[in-house]
Amino acid sequence: MAGTRDLPVVTDLASVFIEDRPLMDVRAPIEFGQGAFPRAHNLPLLTDDERHQVGIRYKEAGQEAAIELGYQLVDEAEKAERVERWQAFAEAHPGGVLYCFRGGLRSRLTQQMLHEATGIAYPRIAGGYKALRRFLLNTLEEASPTAPLLMLGGRTGVGKTPFLFRFERYIDLEGRARHKGSAFGREPVPQPQPIDFENQVAIDLLRLRHRSPDAPILVEDEGKMVGARQVPPALFERMSRSPLVVIERPIEERVEQSLKDYIIDLEAGYRETLDTEAAGAEPHVREHILGAIDRVARRLGGVRHQRVRGMAESALDAWYEHGDREGLRELIRVMLVEYYDPMYDYQLRHKRDRIRFTGSPDEVAQWLEARGLRAR
């Protein structure tokens, strides 16, 4: 591997994420699927099967024998195709970097093969994926305890997530988790892998603290879990001790916001994901809403669960058959008043000592701006 000695190696891992450098991930597809970074593109040196065979040979006979087997498994035509893909990526992303799992044999081979075939000296990450992942975990552990967080609370339907986007500095945990954080909060697309979610949150925190270490960061007041994804523990610990501001809105406004967030946008998401019209999305929307009601059946109680489910079925029929949304509005109003509000009020009573301000969205925005949170 002497040919890689003079090829560039990146050791400043923070800069990779702060500068949002494109990433050429040459790990096998199965490794990539288990966890990756934003902006990473999987252009593997070896397929899953090839990696498996080479790994066995490495354990049995050492590095040289593993390299020899790798060359035997990948014929010249396949090698040329892979080099072409690497070259296309490198030319499209001249500021990028490449890596394998540990920054060892696979990334050095890729770097060498690309350079020998094209003359492109594409940088590789020292320590590879493992080093990048460890760096992000350390970032969460080290940056979270002193992060200047301001927590954003409010009952369901006050529009907390769109409120975040009014400001320059925020971490959108629900957006990163692809989940709105309740039984009705699932999205048409699956949640990211836990590692992917954690990586993205760490990068968000890294960039915000790099730009302005002491400027406040707005975060929605979440529980430990966003859907099936855990908020990184060090960050959640900081969140649970940070000041809280609470948005209040009239019930009718909350009904309209919830209608948009949990039903109208949901259907639009299914239509886009499935590339279909409303009729094609309808079964998925029905299953989503009725399934969510069934998941909270125990908390609703048997009689109320049946009543709410019946309301939902009738409301969905009226919407899809006649375009009438009034039944959906009444369903949402019942769920807010009878289910979500009592639960939220109970939780808020345990956080009263952290509340710094309560008001309408505009009043809360003014309060935040007066304390250094810049609006867009």
Side-chain angles (χ1 to χ4, degrees), residues 362-374:
D362 286 344
E363 290 170 338
V364 172
Q366 292 172 6
W367 188 90
L368 291 171
E369 288 178 46
R371 283 150 184 83
L373 198 65
R374 294 178 57 182

Side-chain angles (χ1 to χ4, degrees), residues 23-27 41-47 50 71 74 78-94 96-99 105-118 120 122:
L23 304 172
M24 183 197 298
D25 188 323
V26 303
R27 295 177 300 159
H41 299 259
N42 191 212
L43 299 173
L45 171 67
L46 300 172
T47 66
E50 290 164 354
Y71 279 116
V74 184
E78 291 171 328
K79 175 183 174 182
E81 288 180 4
R82 293 175 198 187
V83 171
E84 283 181 12
R85 290 196 289 269
W86 300 334
Q87 179 181 2
F89 183 90
E91 290 175 348
H93 306 286
V97 294
L98 68 85
Y99 60 87
L105 183 59
R106 284 183 288 174
S107 59
R108 295 200 306 271
L109 274 172
T110 301
Q111 191 180 39
Q112 181 181 26
M113 290 164 62
L114 178 61
H115 184 252
E116 289 175 348
T118 68
I120 297 174
Y122 212 56

Side-chain angles (χ1 to χ4, degrees), residues 74-350:
V74 184
D75 63 27
E76 287 302 315
E78 291 171 328
K79 175 183 174 182
E81 288 180 4
R82 293 175 198 187
V83 171
E84 283 181 12
R85 290 196 289 269
W86 300 334
Q87 179 181 2
F89 183 90
E91 290 175 348
H93 306 286
V97 294
L98 68 85
Y99 60 87
C100 63
F101 184 63
R102 292 186 179 86
L105 183 59
R106 284 183 288 174
S107 59
R108 295 200 306 271
L109 274 172
T110 301
Q111 191 180 39
Q112 181 181 26
M113 290 164 62
L114 178 61
H115 184 252
E116 289 175 348
T118 68
I120 297 174
Y122 212 56
R124 62 182 170 87
I125 295 290
Y129 170 87
K130 191 173 182 180
L132 291 170
R133 170 73 174 150
R134 173 48 55 191
F135 171 78
L136 292 180
L137 290 175
N138 289 342
T139 294
L140 286 170
E141 292 295 326
E142 295 168 6
S144 295
T146 58
L149 305 183
L150 283 172
M151 306 309 300
L152 179 66
R155 291 172 169 173
T156 301
V158 298
K160 294 184 288 294
T161 298
F163 185 88
L164 289 178
F165 305 150
R166 297 172 63 167
F167 295 90
E168 292 183 350
R169 294 173 58 82
Y170 61 85
I171 297 177
D172 180 13
L173 293 173
E174 292 186 359
R176 295 309 190 192
R178 295 201 291 268
H179 197 286
K180 291 186 174 66
S182 73
F184 292 83
R186 285 166 36 200
E187 300 283 351
V189 293
Q191 289 196 259
Q193 290 292 331
I195 289 174
D196 295 350
F197 171 62
E198 199 169 48
N199 285 343
Q200 182 63 78
V201 172
I203 293 168
D204 289 341
L205 183 60
L206 173 70
R207 290 175 180 164
L208 288 166
R209 302 224 66 189
H210 172 77
R211 291 168 191 155
S212 301
D214 299 321
I217 300 169
L218 193 61
V219 183
E220 192 169 335
D221 189 29
E222 302 282 358
K224 289 184 178 180
M225 305 295 293
V226 185
R229 297 296 167 260
Q230 182 182 22
V231 177
L235 181 62
F236 182 76
E237 171 62 23
R238 182 61 173 175
M239 290 167 57
S240 67
R241 295 184 289 106
S242 296
L244 175 67
V245 295
V246 179
I247 296 175
E248 292 184 337
R249 291 177 70 182
I251 184 64
E252 293 307 319
E253 292 181 11
R254 292 169 54 214
V255 167
E256 292 303 314
Q257 184 70 51
S258 298
L259 177 66
K260 177 184 182 301
D261 290 344
Y262 293 97
I263 299 181
I264 305 304
D265 288 353
L266 173 72
E267 190 205 44
Y270 274 117
R271 291 171 67 172
E272 180 179 357
T273 302
L274 301 171
D275 191 20
T276 185
E277 298 300 319
E282 179 182 350
H284 300 276
V285 173
R286 286 181 178 273
E287 186 281 329
H288 185 114
I289 294 172
L290 297 177
I293 291 171
D294 289 343
R295 283 192 293 277
V296 297
R298 187 173 178 180
R299 291 184 178 180
L300 286 171
V303 174
R304 186 164 56 177
H305 168 247
Q306 290 302 316
R307 175 170 63 90
V308 169
R309 201 180 200 284
M311 290 179 64
E313 291 171 344
S314 298
L316 289 166
D317 288 343
W319 182 32
Y320 278 110
E321 293 173 12
H322 309 293
D324 182 357
R325 297 177 177 175
E326 286 309 308
L328 293 174
R329 290 187 173 93
E330 184 58 28
L331 169 67
I332 291 168
R333 186 179 294 104
V334 167
M335 288 299 295
L336 291 179
V337 173
E338 297 187 19
Y339 179 72
Y340 281 106
D341 286 1
M343 185 165 53
Y344 179 79
D345 292 346
Y346 172 79
Q347 295 169 351
L348 193 64
R349 282 197 292 272
H350 296 277

